[in-house]
Amino acid sequence: MRPRAVALRRTVRPVRALRSGLLAAALLFGAAASACAEASGAPGAAPGDTAFWVEPDSSALRQSTVWRRQGYTAQAALIDRIATRSQAVWLHDPHPGPKTRAVTEAAARARRTPVLVAYYIPHRDCGEYSQGGAASAAEYRRWIEEFAAGIGNRPAYVVVEPDAVAQEVAGCARADASERYALLAHAVGRLKARPQVKVYLDAGNSGWIPGEHRLVAPLRKSGIAKADGFALNVSNYQTNAVSSAYGHRLVRALGGAKHFVVDSSRNGNGPYTGSGLSWCNPPGRALGTPPTTRTGDPAIDAYLWVKRPGESDGTCRGGPRAGQWWPQYALGLASRAKG
């Protein structure tokens, strides 16, 4: 049985008949969402904000296109709330260079900044839903070199290895802690060597490691000193307010110099408090704050959609495997969004 502390963790990543309540929500929000989508079909950025890159061929965009063609215009307009906003691109295959290069080049042509996720650490996800990663430390170092080379001199935000530090703190017998921390430090250093890259080392979420002091030594061993800061709430549901308070405590514990980013992709209704796994496809959740660097907090560099809304957390609650697009869940997230 999974320990309770681990049950609070996160993981990354056939259309069924729509329920009457969900359809009603779609009809209610459709007109407003459609207007939002039209206004932001190629979203720009407000003055002082960073224009983050929006993927031109995302699962969400393909879904809204199909539904609009089939006459489901209200549902399509809701999915546009996801399709027209920036989502992180996760790199988790053996050769990240071509995709990293393609994404950063496309973003540069559009004069925008992409958000990338490095997700290939050995013993990734401790063998659970999102298992995989490099077979050895040497392979991971080569992978990071290819990842960094693919970025080149172009701008990017990079979140380094969701779960890797917090999972080690919580307990991952499969991974050697000293090796993992050394690999993370290597990744941070190589990525920060790129002239226009902002690097955020993942630090889990406030519900997973409530005592933030437990993260301090592991983050230092993992190269936080060279990073721009750390990332919180990746693929989880903690509110901005809770994540902000937690982040500020962690900043102070680290010496007060670091900043952080918060994944706000699915935290519009906060965490699930019902029975069952709170982190795996929980019902009733909502899209959160759209990606922006206008956070109103000098320590929070950005709210980002690191987890791609609508992609499954894993084969729980009827979901497809981790990372697979799940239209019904995406529609629920969008229909409950506050704006």
Side-chain angles (χ1 to χ4, degrees):
M1 180 178 293
R2 187 192 304 246
R4 186 171 184 83
V6 181
L8 292 169
R9 65 171 298 283
R10 50 129 337 255
T11 189
V12 291
R13 351 227 226 253
V15 184
R16 300 169 180 162
L18 297 175
R19 297 177 182 174
S20 59
L22 193 54
L23 181 55
L27 294 173
L28 176 65
F29 286 99
S34 180
C36 175
E38 290 175 8
S40 60
D49 202 357
T50 294
F52 288 113
W53 183 70
V54 178
E55 189 176 357
D57 188 32
S58 66
S59 296
L61 182 59
R62 291 194 295 271
Q63 186 70 70
S64 67
T65 300
V66 168
W67 277 350
R68 190 168 281 109
R69 186 182 303 129
Q70 294 174 341
Y72 299 116
T73 55
Q75 293 91 328
L78 283 173
I79 294 300
D80 282 339
R81 289 183 167 184
I82 299 173
T84 61
R85 288 165 174 161
S86 174
Q87 305 169 57
V89 176
W90 291 61
L91 284 300
H92 48 72
D93 294 324
H95 295 287
K99 187 172 184 178
T100 306
R101 185 173 297 105
V103 168
T104 55
E105 286 179 349
R109 286 193 297 270
R111 298 183 180 180
R112 300 190 184 179
T113 301
V115 180
L116 307 174
V117 179
Y119 194 54
Y120 203 63
I121 197 81
H123 305 292
R124 186 181 68 201
D125 204 30
C126 219
E128 297 186 37
Y129 284 119
S130 296
Q131 62 183 288
S136 67
E139 181 186 350
Y140 185 73
R141 291 190 185 95
R142 290 193 296 269
W143 189 87
I144 282 294
E145 294 298 329
E146 186 175 335
F147 189 112
I151 296 174
N153 295 329
R154 294 173 289 276
Y157 279 49
V158 180
V159 175
V160 175
E161 299 297 342
D163 292 358
V165 172
Q167 200 166 56
E168 196 64 52
V169 172
C172 178
R174 293 170 180 254
D176 177 83
S178 59
E179 178 184 85
R180 173 168 285 195
Y181 296 151
L183 290 177
L184 291 169
H186 175 77
V188 169
R190 297 309 298 152
L191 290 165
K192 274 307 295 179
R194 301 287 94 190
Q196 296 194 71
V197 174
K198 293 178 75 70
V199 176
Y200 298 91
L201 182 60
D202 188 74
N205 65 76
S206 59
W208 190 1
I209 310 291
E212 69 283 347
H213 62 279
R214 297 176 61 200
L215 291 165
V216 173
L219 286 172
R220 286 175 175 161
K221 293 175 184 177
S222 300
I224 191 67
K226 291 185 178 180
D228 292 276
F230 52 88
L232 292 177
N233 200 49
V234 171
S235 295
N236 210 272
Y237 303 85
Q238 304 299 321
T239 65
N240 290 346
V242 169
S243 294
S244 173
Y246 185 80
H248 278 278
R249 293 197 302 271
L250 184 52
V251 167
R252 289 194 295 271
L254 288 167
K258 293 301 173 183
H259 291 195
F260 58 100
V261 296
V262 175
D263 184 354
S264 59
S265 59
R266 305 183 299 177
N267 70 352
N269 281 344
Y272 179 63
T273 57
S275 60
L277 295 175
S278 62
W279 56 267
C280 196
N281 299 324
R285 300 311 92 199
L287 298 176
T289 303
T292 180
T293 54
R294 299 182 70 182
T295 67
D297 186 327
I300 303 178
D301 285 349
Y303 293 116
L304 303 173
W305 284 9
V306 182
K307 170 67 180 183
R308 298 168 66 85
E311 292 188 359
S312 177
D313 290 314
T315 53
C316 52
R317 294 190 170 94
R321 66 183 179 85
Q324 290 288 300
W325 172 251
W326 190 3
Q328 185 184 27
Y329 198 81
L331 190 58
L333 290 170
S335 71
R336 302 181 196 101
K338 305 302 189 293

